[in-house]
Amino acid sequence: MGELNMGNIIENNGTKELFLDFSYLQNVMFKDNIAQLDQIVERLDIEGINTYQEFQNFLRSSMVKQCFICLIDDKTRKVGKKDTKQIYDAIVRLEMNSISQSKFPKDTYLGLFVNINPQTPYLTINSIFETRLKPSPQEFETTIKETQIQVIKYQNQMTPDEILRRSILNSSNISQLGKLVSSFEEEKTK
């Protein structure tokens, strides 16, 4: 299962997936200007990937070799006007399987700024970037081992039950993910 072990690693038994939710990017943030998403993807400079649609297909057909994730804060924040959801902000770095990773510029990896709602543990993407950080965990990051990617294009595409059943993340391991804030707090008190 998606169990968190002592080394701050979430092991995958081969059946769990990492859900990436693009609904906010395409249906809210860039709703009236999808061409801007193409420009963001183009700037990633992934070989043969020039459009947002190609980027989603690329992710769908890729396997994550390892994923490094950390919560930005140890507290949730409320979003939404009527059904106020509690979400965590998080940063995710992905090292893909060798075929997919070889399409990235040398020594660069995919990064995502995301929100996570523990009740429906998919990663709602707010921002896509590239990082040159080495593919090894920093002390505040949790590692997720090999996993398939499942792309979500719109809210309610899957029931919360199905996501909970298939996602490598769940409410118990989300609350135990590494936190960026704790390192800052420790630095301030030194």
Side-chain angles (χ1 to χ4, degrees):
M1 280 216 334
E3 296 301 314
L4 191 66
N5 71 20
M6 291 310 288
N8 220 12
I9 294 171
I10 298 175
E11 294 288 351
N12 192 353
N13 65 3
T15 65
K16 300 292 184 178
E17 299 167 300
L18 189 65
F19 284 83
L20 300 181
D21 171 21
F22 285 89
S23 66
Y24 177 73
L25 275 185
Q26 70 190 29
N27 303 332
V28 179
M29 205 174 203
F30 294 104
K31 181 180 173 195
D32 300 321
N33 194 353
I34 292 292
Q36 249 188 312
L37 278 173
D38 290 343
Q39 290 171 354
I40 290 168
V41 167
E42 241 176 88
R43 279 196 296 262
L44 295 174
D45 202 22
I46 304 168
E47 183 186 311
I49 310 297
N50 300 306
T51 67
Y52 174 64
Q53 189 59 53
E54 289 171 344
F55 179 64
Q56 285 190 330
N57 292 338
F58 168 75
L59 290 175
R60 251 189 220 102
S61 63
S62 296
M63 178 90 172
V64 173
K65 182 177 177 186
Q66 51 185 351
C67 165
F68 309 106
I69 184 169
C70 71
L71 301 178
I72 292 172
D73 200 332
D74 56 0
K75 295 178 276 306
T76 58
R77 62 182 177 88
K78 284 189 171 98
V79 290
K81 290 180 181 71
K82 37 186 188 298
D83 60 336
T84 52
K85 293 187 283 194
Q86 298 285 338
I87 60 161
Y88 287 103
D89 292 318
I91 297 172
V92 179
R93 297 186 300 123
L94 301 168
E95 179 185 11
M96 303 299 193
N97 59 345
S98 48
I99 294 166
S100 298
Q101 189 60 51
S102 70
K103 294 177 183 288
F104 281 83
K106 187 172 169 20
D107 296 329
T108 60
Y109 302 90
L110 184 62
L112 304 168
F113 181 74
V114 302
N115 303 132
I116 311 169
N117 174 350
Q119 306 311 308
T120 49
Y122 44 74
L123 305 179
T124 302
I125 298 167
N126 286 315
S127 167
I128 303 166
F129 59 93
E130 274 186 336
T131 175
R132 290 187 157 283
L133 280 173
K134 298 269 178 274
S136 57
Q138 299 181 72
E139 72 280 356
F140 52 81
E141 289 178 312
T142 298
T143 303
I144 297 173
K145 288 298 191 184
E146 278 196 339
T147 181
Q148 293 281 76
I149 294 174
Q150 191 63 246
V151 171
I152 296 177
K153 290 179 150 187
Y154 51 89
Q155 291 287 318
N156 307 323
Q157 183 176 325
M158 290 182 190
T159 65
D161 286 351
E162 185 178 356
I163 290 167
L164 285 167
R165 194 174 68 249
R166 293 171 52 190
S167 176
I168 189 140
L169 293 172
N170 57 49
S171 55
S172 63
N173 66 18
I174 288 172
S175 60
Q176 295 170 349
L177 292 175
K179 293 164 188 70
L180 192 57
V181 72
S182 58
S183 344
F184 290 143
E185 292 302 317
E186 286 162 25
E187 287 301 313
K188 275 199 290 197
T189 58
K190 279 185 184 170

